Amino acid sequence: MEQPIGGAVAVVKQPGLVRVVEGGVGVIGVGAEGEGLEYTWERSVSGGDWVLVSGGGAELTVKADSREVAGRYRVRVRSGKYEVVSAPGEVVWVEAPVVRSMEPSLQRMEVPLGARFSARVDVGGTGPFRVKWLRAMGAQGVGDLISEGSAVEYVLGSAGRGASGWYYAEISNEAGTVESARVEVAVLEAVGIVQQPENVETETDARVVLGVEAKGGGTLTYQWYRNGVAIEGAVGQQ
């Protein structure tokens, strides 16, 4: 009776996920046990048929010359007449991040002291992304890092006096880095009366000047009232 050539073959480590960028290379591999092993790599795109990929042993080097290298990869491992097929791994073509929009879209935003502020970026490209949120003291220049991770939204629960500045995000992956637009946040103190108008006794038809002293962030505006009715044109501090 003819004996089978070779011996049992086992895959002990399946192909994994490999991310490649244009012009780079990636290596996808398999771990197998057996004698005199031979490897035949195959690729499938968008769930289509498996086609032979030239070259490769236990590891296959993928040159990222075009997006066509992306897809699922598997390998047939043979020892004589014995053969086993690995589970599929995947090669992903990584697109550089692109900022599609930034919210708020205003160039300047006034936030009351103690109020909540949030900013969000809409990002295109291939994730996951590394996201840094920064605050600068001007419209140009590098800001200080205030948050780092994967969150495309930054939330400041209570704006303090030191929270004013230009906020923006820096998004990156293996293919590149991009910055969002900047939004200036001005934290304004609540309006308060420092000195109330004083009572005045006057004669009929005499000229009377009333004044008030107020404080608060931003540009203060005034409107005087008499008996609950706005006085037309009385819009100054006096």
Side-chain angles (χ1 to χ4, degrees):
M1 181 176 179
E2 183 181 357
Q3 296 296 319
I5 300 173
V9 184
V11 172
V12 295
K13 183 178 180 182
Q14 301 287 356
L17 175 68
V18 177
R19 294 163 62 89
V20 296
V21 299
E22 184 175 2
V25 296
V27 177
I28 189 168
V30 67
E33 293 180 347
E35 296 180 358
L37 299 179
E38 298 176 356
Y39 302 85
T40 303
W41 286 89
E42 299 173 330
R43 178 170 62 91
S44 172
V45 179
S46 301
D49 295 334
W50 291 95
V51 297
L52 181 66
V53 178
S54 61
E59 292 184 340
L60 176 69
T61 299
V62 179
K63 295 182 179 180
D65 298 326
S66 72
R67 290 177 175 82
E68 294 180 358
V69 301
R72 296 192 303 157
Y73 285 73
R74 71 182 185 185
V75 61
R76 296 181 179 273
V77 186
R78 182 179 297 105
S79 175
K81 292 186 177 180
Y82 293 91
E83 182 182 84
V84 66
V85 181
S86 74
E90 186 173 8
V91 173
V92 176
W93 179 275
V94 179
E95 298 277 358
V98 177
V99 176
R100 293 191 284 237
S101 65
M102 169 75 166
E103 295 180 2
S105 58
L106 301 174
Q107 292 183 341
R108 176 182 168 87
M109 185 174 183
E110 294 183 345
V111 179
L113 183 66
R116 179 182 183 274
F117 163 74
S118 66
R120 182 181 181 86
V121 286
D122 180 22
V123 183
T126 306
F129 301 107
R130 181 185 180 189
V131 182
K132 294 181 179 180
W133 285 96
L134 304 103
R135 181 179 67 240
M137 292 299 102
Q140 304 294 329
V142 179
D144 294 326
L145 181 67
I146 55 176
S147 176
E148 184 174 10
S150 59
V152 295
E153 183 177 26
Y154 173 73
V155 178
L156 182 62
S158 178
R161 290 181 173 84
S164 294
W166 279 258
Y167 287 74
Y168 66 101
E170 181 183 278
I171 305 99
S172 60
N173 63 11
E174 301 95 321
T177 301
V178 66
E179 287 186 4
S180 72
R182 301 188 180 199
V183 56
E184 182 187 3
V185 174
V187 179
L188 306 181
E189 293 195 34
V191 176
I193 301 296
V194 176
Q195 184 173 340
Q196 299 284 355
E198 296 180 354
N199 294 329
V200 176
E201 294 183 1
T202 183
E203 299 177 357
T204 304
D205 296 331
R207 182 175 181 269
V208 175
V209 177
L210 298 175
V212 66
E213 184 178 347
K215 69 174 182 177
T219 302
L220 301 181
T221 60
Y222 300 83
Q223 174 63 63
W224 287 87
Y225 291 79
R226 178 176 180 273
N227 296 330
V229 179
I231 302 173
E232 184 177 357
V235 291
Q237 190 173 357
Q238 293 184 335

